[in-house]
Amino acid sequence: MFAVFTRARQFVLAAALGCATLPAAQAQLPLDARLNEQIIMVPAGPTLNVQLETTLYKPAGPGPFPLLIINHGKSPGDPKAQSRDRFVYMAAQFVKRGYAVMVPMRTGFAHSTGTYTDYGCNMKANGYQQAGDIADVIAYARSLNWIDGERIVIAGQSYGGLASVALSTQELPGVRGVMNFAGGLKVHGGSCDWQQALVNAFAEYGRKNRIETLWMYGANDSYFGPQLVSRLHEAFHGNGGRVDLVAYGAFKHDAHTMLGSRDGQPIWLPEVERFLQRIGMPTEQVYAVAEPVPQAPTNYAALDDVAAVPFLPERGRQQYRAFLSKQTPRAFAVSSSGAWGWAEEGESVNERALAACQSASRQPCRLYTVDDYVVWSDTPDPVNNTATGRTE
């Protein structure tokens, strides 16, 4: 069995006077009321006996709504330990445009039931296996009276992108397009040529392609670089696959994280809108979605004044110095117990930093820094700077 890791990475750290770390997967995040976020269980599998933990976002009202299904990648280790993916940034843009959005965790991931199946370097089989769950979610969604079953679009990131491209080989009623963001699967360890296996899989998917696809890959993707992407595109398109490849430049430290980053939206949104228009899907904003309430900067101290951060032991001050080199979005939280926690990149960094700190403290944690400014005050804001924080 080969180990795999192709999921967009997020970083979170917790510590106290010699304490431990909290993986991002363990941070319990609040549901986003702006997007009517819910968690539902969707039946899947050959006998529909598997239940897929699925994040649902939808506009207010009865619908029927066009549908976007977003498919996740894979974290290292046990898929059961993987956190529920949310893709809040993409979901918000689609809800504004009147879409319902589903983000299913596939078989064996997070709180979905069943057992994850890994076919190692058989990339064709890996893609088809994961695509089966997506097809089941589509069938379930089309049975709902508030979903417009004739206007569906599919997106996938990393392993979810590979699965989405594999799905494009099927004739699926109502599915008008597939979007692949940094799609693929990288095998770590073993002796197989996983890159050639990916090329072979994409060649077959191209021969069997039935649905229009959009691909987006960045120049500094740490998993699938430009040379490999060129081979994947040539294999897919050269065998008849319908594809629009957008090869954009470098994104931060790793383009593989672009879709899950707050700062990725200016890259993907214009290309997605053009694709949606071409396949006859809505692009006009028809619903208002409130922007998250930002943390207010204070005049407590300069950002780089390490000595001013309260409560921290020397090890915590060393961590704060390291935190100042991290990329935004980012947040740093502290507690009177001497605990601290920080989070970098991805979604809900405020909550992840607070949860990381709180895992190491019996006393409430509060945000000290958000992005490039200090938000700490000697008199805490009971709404904006408590141990529970706000949605990023």
Side-chain angles (χ1 to χ4, degrees), residues 223-285:
Y223 295 102
F224 315 117
Q227 185 176 11
L228 176 57
V229 171
S230 178
R231 293 172 63 196
L232 298 177
H233 178 261
E234 181 179 351
F236 186 85
H237 181 65
N239 282 282
R242 290 171 286 177
V243 55
D244 179 8
L245 171 62
V246 177
Y248 60 93
F251 178 78
K252 294 190 172 183
H253 56 72
D254 187 351
H256 203 71
T257 68
M258 186 274 293
L259 190 65
S261 172
R262 180 186 66 190
D263 301 325
Q265 183 171 295
I267 297 174
W268 65 259
L269 183 55
E271 301 296 343
V272 165
E273 286 188 314
R274 281 190 280 271
F275 180 68
L276 293 175
Q277 289 171 350
R278 190 167 76 247
I279 62 175
M281 294 292 287
T283 59
E284 181 180 355
Q285 294 190 33

Side-chain angles (χ1 to χ4, degrees), residues 84-152:
R84 174 176 63 94
D85 275 278
R86 299 171 73 216
F87 293 99
V88 169
Y89 302 121
M90 174 171 266
Q93 290 302 322
F94 274 79
V95 170
K96 287 180 182 179
R97 288 158 175 79
Y99 289 71
V101 179
M102 291 183 177
V103 185
M105 302 303 296
R106 299 186 298 278
T107 299
F109 286 91
H111 290 118
S112 295
T113 64
T115 302
Y116 168 70
T117 301
D118 182 353
Y119 289 97
C121 217
N122 186 342
M123 296 299 177
K124 297 176 190 177
N126 282 323
Y128 286 137
Q129 174 74 19
Q130 301 300 307
D133 277 354
I134 307 172
D136 289 339
V137 175
I138 294 169
Y140 170 81
R142 295 186 82 244
S143 73
L144 303 173
N145 60 13
W146 46 269
I147 292 293
D148 181 347
E150 300 307 314
R151 294 194 295 174
I152 299 172

Side-chain angles (χ1 to χ4, degrees), residues 290-313:
E291 293 299 319
V293 178
Q295 294 288 336
T298 65
N299 295 317
Y300 178 80
L303 178 69
D304 59 357
D305 186 350
V306 178
V309 184
F311 309 133
L312 293 184

Side-chain angles (χ1 to χ4, degrees), residues 37-52:
E37 182 180 7
Q38 305 169 44
I39 302 173
I40 62 175
M41 303 303 287
V42 173
T47 60
L48 299 182
N49 63 335
V50 173
Q51 296 290 310
L52 304 183

Side-chain angles (χ1 to χ4, degrees), residues 336-353:
S336 61
S337 67
W340 67 90
W342 60 264
E344 174 197 17
E345 265 291 8
E347 300 166 353
S348 304
V349 290
N350 294 3
E351 284 77 8
R352 286 162 43 218

Side-chain angles (χ1 to χ4, degrees), residues 6 21 26 68 95 101 158 181 237 240 248 301 304 307 332 356 373:
T6 60
T21 60
Q26 295 178 19
L68 167 69
V95 170
V101 179
S158 195
F181 298 91
H237 181 65
Y248 60 93
D304 59 357
F332 194 95
Y373 48 87

Side-chain angles (χ1 to χ4, degrees), residues 358-382:
Q358 206 62 62
S359 73
S361 176
R362 293 178 179 271
Q363 299 301 315
C365 291
R366 291 170 51 201
L367 294 172
Y368 181 80
T369 301
V370 172
D371 287 344
D372 293 323
Y373 48 87
V374 173
V375 299
W376 181 268
S377 171
D378 286 328
T379 304
D381 181 334

